[in-house]
Amino acid sequence: MNFLLIVLSAILVLGPLVALHEWGHYIVARLCGVKVLTYSIGFGPKLLHWTSKKTGINYAISAVPLGGYVKMLDERESDVAHHEKHLAFNNQHPLKKIAIILAGPMMNFIIAIFLYWLLLMTPSEQLSTKIGSIVANSPASHATLQIGDEITAIDNKSVNTWQAITYALADRMGETGNIKVTVQNTDGTFSHQLPITNFMKSDGKPVDSLESLGILPWQPHIKPIVGEIGENSPAKRQGLQPNDKILSVNNQPISDWINFSQIIRENPEKMLTVNVLRADKTVTLDIIPQVVKDNMGHEYGQIGAGVKRSEVHIPDAYKKTVVYAPLPAMHQALNRTYDLSVMTVKSMGKMVTGLIGLDNISGPITIAKVANQSVNMGWQAVLSFMAIISLSLAVMNLLPIPVLDGGHLVYYTIELIRGKPLSEQVQIVGLNIGMILMGAFMLLAISNDISRLL
């Protein structure tokens, strides 16, 4: 059942993005006077299809849901009747070819902008960007930053949410140098240069950007009292009970549940001596957190115990409502789409140069799992994830690799400059190279997905 839900979530999230990407190619091809033969969502055998009596176009849903395609009349693929030669794609002016190819990625950019626009116009209560705590021995702890300082910019980029701060910091992943953090408090506005080395990496593994820099948002003080315990969990097997109050772990006093949870996460498959208060008596337990992998394959510890629920009150100073009017929301949506596109391209460059490991590449399995998580979190999470995936599809498709839209754009730009297309032999060689590159990329992505599962 869980597998089925993951598949359905992936279809719900990715299906519209693929359909609209291909619709971009389809509608511009028709506007340019090119005859469209097939519009398909997915590849391979057709599961469902019908042919329009008016246009003769075959619309299909195919078996392999890893993309889609628009098949156009083309003399390079089949014989074309003399009276239809002017409708063939290969006989179009290079500018028309460029417009048709560019339409798919542009549609994905438009989708991302539209989704961000909707989200930014929706009121949401969020934590303010005031610093809630500073991690010891971190870049922030060695500066004059203080708890309560409100972060207003990272590297001169304005930020008003912790998500925006996270994106700005992620843009510096793998780098060495300084990050400029601008804050505001009752004394005025100040800028701090925080030194970083191989930012967001610890022992070669990526870590949280906020923890790496040492600035954390406000967190509630939650009493370390155990609530629900999962069946067949390490907590159940090793003697933890509901209403136990955690006193210490390996003789380290525990002040709140977040502190306890962090220790558990950081110690997978390690013996922990846990002292708990149970019915006014101290009980000592030996607990070994089981190892669990997140969607990126990073390991962490888990014992299967939840905190006893209690009401959490966020101080007014640490919360705010974020909402934009339509025009400012559009401006912010455009900026966010641009910034994330640039960050995506930079991240690809860092992978090539080795600043970021290739294990950060995700394939369809990870995407499907994250899609399922976003569905469980609500419609805003779904739209946000769809925007990110749509933007990634746009950037990926514009890479100058044959078989991708970007590779075709290179061909038709050269044709526009030369006044004639490249020879079929050159295009076939480029196609073969592109297929090898994309095949290797897909194998790496799926291999990463499988390694995370295992």
Side-chain angles (χ1 to χ4, degrees):
M1 180 59 71
N2 188 50
F3 173 77
L4 180 60
L5 290 174
I6 290 174
V7 172
L8 291 175
S9 298
I11 293 173
L12 172 67
V13 171
L14 298 177
L17 302 181
V18 171
L20 289 170
H21 174 97
E22 297 305 329
W23 185 82
H25 293 309
Y26 163 86
I27 195 65
V28 174
R30 295 196 64 184
L31 290 172
C32 288
V34 177
K35 183 175 182 179
V36 176
L37 303 177
T38 305
Y39 171 89
S40 176
I41 307 304
F43 298 102
K46 296 175 181 178
L47 301 178
L48 297 170
H49 68 98
W50 66 279
T51 301
S52 170
K53 293 181 180 179
K54 182 179 180 180
T55 64
I57 300 172
N58 184 249
Y59 299 91
I61 297 177
S62 302
V64 184
L66 296 178
Y69 65 92
V70 174
K71 184 178 181 181
M72 292 169 273
L73 191 68
D74 196 313
E75 290 181 309
R76 297 169 298 180
E77 298 181 5
S78 61
D79 293 333
V80 176
H82 180 75
H83 69 281
E84 288 191 323
K85 287 186 180 293
H86 68 288
L87 301 177
F89 178 82
N90 64 290
N91 291 327
Q92 304 303 312
H93 189 278
L95 287 176
K96 285 188 176 182
K97 295 179 182 178
I98 290 172
I100 293 169
I101 294 301
L102 199 57
M106 289 302 103
M107 181 59 65
N108 284 125
F109 280 126
I110 292 170
I111 293 168
I113 293 167
F114 176 72
L115 293 176
Y116 282 133
W117 181 64
L118 286 180
L119 289 167
L120 289 163
M121 289 192 299
T122 304
S124 63
E125 189 172 273
Q126 300 187 24
L127 287 174
S128 70
T129 56
K130 288 185 177 182
I131 299 173
S133 59
I134 296 176
V135 179
N137 299 318
S138 65
S141 69
H142 299 303
T144 55
L145 286 166
Q146 298 179 0
I147 293 174
D149 286 352
E150 184 171 5
I151 301 171
T152 59
I154 300 290
D155 288 334
N156 296 321
K157 292 180 182 177
S158 296
V159 292
N160 66 344
T161 66
W162 284 99
Q163 183 187 53
I165 292 173
T166 300
Y167 283 147
L169 294 179
D171 194 31
R172 301 294 303 275
M173 182 177 179
E175 296 183 19
T176 296
N178 291 292
I179 291 179
K180 183 181 179 180
V181 179
T182 304
V183 299
Q184 189 174 6
N185 55 35
T186 55
D187 295 326
T189 300
F190 306 91
S191 293
H192 305 266
Q193 296 288 342
L194 306 188
I196 55 170
T197 303
N198 296 326
F199 185 55
M200 292 174 62
K201 288 189 176 182
S202 177
D203 298 327
K205 296 181 180 179
V207 294
D208 182 81
S209 59
L210 297 176
E211 288 187 10
S212 292
L213 201 61
I215 51 175
L216 297 176
W218 177 87
Q219 295 175 320
H221 175 75
I222 303 175
K223 293 180 180 180
I225 300 176
V226 179
E228 295 181 1
I229 296 179
E231 292 295 328
N232 300 318
S233 65
K236 181 87 169 179
R237 292 194 301 268
Q238 294 158 22
L240 203 61
Q241 296 181 10
N243 296 315
D244 283 350
K245 182 178 181 180
I246 311 299
L247 299 176
S248 66
V249 178
N250 290 350
N251 295 320
Q252 177 182 337
I254 299 299
S255 58
D256 59 36
W257 184 265
I258 294 175
N259 181 211
F260 174 64
S261 177
Q262 184 175 6
I263 293 174
I264 295 298
R265 288 181 62 87
E266 293 174 352
N267 291 278
E269 296 188 329
K270 294 181 181 179
M271 178 75 76
L272 300 176
T273 301
V274 181
N275 288 324
V276 303
L277 183 65
R278 181 184 299 166
D280 297 326
K281 293 182 180 179
T282 299
V283 179
T284 300
L285 305 171
D286 289 327
I287 298 178
I288 303 176
Q290 68 183 18
V291 63
V292 180
K293 290 187 177 183
D294 63 17
N295 288 320
M296 293 304 295
H298 307 139
E299 296 182 350
Y300 63 93
Q302 187 180 80
I303 62 172
V307 66
K308 186 175 182 179
R309 294 186 179 181
S310 59
E311 186 175 346
V312 175
H313 174 71
I314 303 174
D316 291 339
Y318 282 95
K319 64 181 179 182
K320 64 178 179 180
T321 299
V322 178
V323 62
Y324 291 89
L327 286 179
M330 178 56 69
H331 178 71
Q332 290 292 328
L334 289 167
N335 284 342
R336 183 176 297 185
T337 301
Y338 174 78
D339 289 342
L340 290 178
S341 299
V342 172
M343 186 178 75
T344 301
V345 174
K346 287 176 64 176
S347 296
M348 292 177 182
K350 290 177 182 179
M351 288 183 191
V352 173
T353 57
L355 286 176
I356 297 179
L358 295 177
D359 58 340
N360 286 281
I361 296 174
S362 297
I365 298 173
T366 297
I367 292 172
K369 289 176 66 179
V370 178
N372 183 50
Q373 289 179 357
S374 67
V375 169
N376 293 332
M377 292 170 64
W379 69 270
Q380 287 174 305
V382 171
L383 295 189
S384 181
F385 183 63
M386 288 179 70
I388 291 173
I389 294 298
S390 186
L391 191 150
S392 298
L393 286 173
V395 174
M396 283 291 295
N397 270 287
L398 287 175
L399 293 178
I401 299 174
V403 311
L404 294 179
D405 292 336
H408 293 299
L409 286 174
V410 172
Y411 285 161
Y412 303 137
T413 300
I414 293 173
E415 180 182 344
L416 180 65
I417 295 170
R418 295 177 72 228
K420 61 180 181 179
L422 292 169
S423 68
E424 282 194 31
Q425 185 177 2
V426 170
Q427 293 189 46
I428 290 172
V429 170
L431 180 66
N432 290 334
I433 293 173
M435 291 181 67
I436 291 171
L437 289 174
M438 291 308 300
F441 177 82
M442 285 300 298
L443 282 174
L444 176 62
I446 293 173
S447 174
N448 286 344
D449 284 353
I450 293 173
S451 69
R452 290 165 191 154
L453 290 175
L454 299 179

